[in-house]
Amino acid sequence: MLNKLYLIFLFLPFVIFSCPELNNLNVYGQDTRTISLHYIQSFEGKNKSNIKGQVFFEKPNLFKIITSKPSKTELIVNNQDVYRTDYELNETIKYKLRNIESQIPALLLLKSKKKVCSFLKNSEKSEFISEVNFITKNKSLKKITYKDQFGANTQINFNNVKLNEELDRKIFDYNKETNLFILN
């Protein structure tokens, strides 16, 4: 009986501090090298248009979000630099990733499963997002819901998810024809 109690105390922390919703999620699989997907982001109780776009990710640190509606923008993470391009303004702003990482919920895809789990456990302390939930189906990510910094419930639906397809590395270059502003 005493041995069983030791086993329970030994393994209980792993169960309590693990994130079972991430365990079988294919985007965090060790064999997943690239991800591409389409998304629609909607806002509950807000008179705000849905946001539509695409995401491209190549492990470990190349990431791109293209927003096609309501306006065309791009956010590119290329190693430790982030480029935000607004095509209407014809400008790209360069940041250091460490300075704005917490403001970009989609960057959860860049993290290891362990770091995502830690983030989920501590999301209530975040200034930008909280109450993060992953909804999956057959090991595939279908939806993320969270509360944004203004208290609005936000939902991101994913479709056309493709894993391990070859991505052209040029998609992770920012549009050099826009005006570049560097912020650190």
Side-chain angles (χ1 to χ4, degrees), residues 23-100:
N23 285 343
N24 294 318
L25 195 54
N26 56 15
V27 296
Y28 295 111
Q30 287 184 335
D31 59 339
T32 301
R33 298 175 330 278
T34 65
I35 302 167
S36 66
L37 56 87
H38 289 82
Y39 72 91
I40 299 174
Q41 183 175 2
S42 58
F43 309 90
E44 184 180 301
K46 294 269 186 179
N47 189 16
K48 189 173 180 180
S49 298
N50 288 350
I51 298 172
K52 294 181 180 185
Q54 290 180 275
V55 173
F56 301 94
F57 172 53
E58 185 173 312
K59 288 184 179 180
N61 50 12
L62 295 173
F63 185 80
K64 180 175 187 172
I65 300 174
I66 299 171
T67 303
S68 56
K69 292 183 181 176
S71 61
K72 186 171 180 189
T73 64
E74 291 181 348
L75 181 131
I76 297 172
V77 175
N78 192 332
N79 296 310
Q80 295 303 312
D81 295 321
V82 176
Y83 300 89
R84 287 187 187 206
T85 300
D86 185 317
Y87 286 93
E88 286 181 20
L89 298 176
N90 192 37
E91 70 179 20
T92 298
I93 300 173
K94 180 182 175 184
Y95 304 89
K96 289 294 179 194
L97 177 61
R98 70 181 174 273
N99 295 339
I100 66 163

Side-chain angles (χ1 to χ4, degrees), residues 3-176:
N3 289 342
K4 289 180 184 177
L5 285 176
Y6 285 130
L7 283 175
I8 290 171
F9 285 118
L10 179 65
F11 289 107
L12 187 61
F14 293 114
V15 173
I16 292 173
F17 297 109
S18 69
C19 296
E21 66 271 23
L22 302 178
N23 285 343
N24 294 318
L25 195 54
N26 56 15
V27 296
Y28 295 111
Q30 287 184 335
D31 59 339
T32 301
R33 298 175 330 278
T34 65
I35 302 167
S36 66
L37 56 87
H38 289 82
Y39 72 91
I40 299 174
Q41 183 175 2
S42 58
F43 309 90
E44 184 180 301
K46 294 269 186 179
N47 189 16
K48 189 173 180 180
S49 298
N50 288 350
I51 298 172
K52 294 181 180 185
Q54 290 180 275
V55 173
F56 301 94
F57 172 53
E58 185 173 312
K59 288 184 179 180
N61 50 12
L62 295 173
F63 185 80
K64 180 175 187 172
I65 300 174
I66 299 171
T67 303
S68 56
K69 292 183 181 176
S71 61
K72 186 171 180 189
T73 64
E74 291 181 348
L75 181 131
I76 297 172
V77 175
N78 192 332
N79 296 310
Q80 295 303 312
D81 295 321
V82 176
Y83 300 89
R84 287 187 187 206
T85 300
D86 185 317
Y87 286 93
E88 286 181 20
L89 298 176
N90 192 37
E91 70 179 20
T92 298
I93 300 173
K94 180 182 175 184
Y95 304 89
K96 289 294 179 194
L97 177 61
R98 70 181 174 273
N99 295 339
I100 66 163
E101 189 171 14
S102 64
Q103 300 172 32
I104 308 169
L107 290 184
L108 283 174
L109 290 172
L110 276 177
K111 305 292 184 185
S112 68
K113 184 169 55 171
K114 182 178 178 180
K115 287 182 180 179
V116 172
C117 184
S118 175
F119 174 82
L120 292 173
K121 299 290 183 200
N122 296 310
S123 68
E124 296 304 317
K125 298 175 189 172
S126 171
E127 296 175 28
F128 298 101
I129 63 173
S130 61
E131 300 178 25
V132 180
N133 292 301
F134 286 76
I135 293 88
T136 62
K137 183 177 180 181
N138 298 328
K139 297 185 178 184
S140 187
L141 181 62
K142 292 296 178 189
K143 185 187 309 182
I144 294 176
T145 62
Y146 62 92
K147 191 170 283 198
D148 70 15
Q149 68 261 34
F150 306 109
N153 291 321
T154 301
Q155 176 175 295
I156 304 172
N157 292 296
F158 302 100
N159 57 60
N160 201 20
V161 177
K162 297 177 184 174
L163 302 177
N164 295 327
E165 290 194 355
E166 194 68 30
L167 298 177
D168 183 354
R169 303 261 313 192
K170 291 179 185 177
I171 66 171
F172 300 107
D173 294 336
Y174 76 93
N175 184 336
K176 292 177 174 64

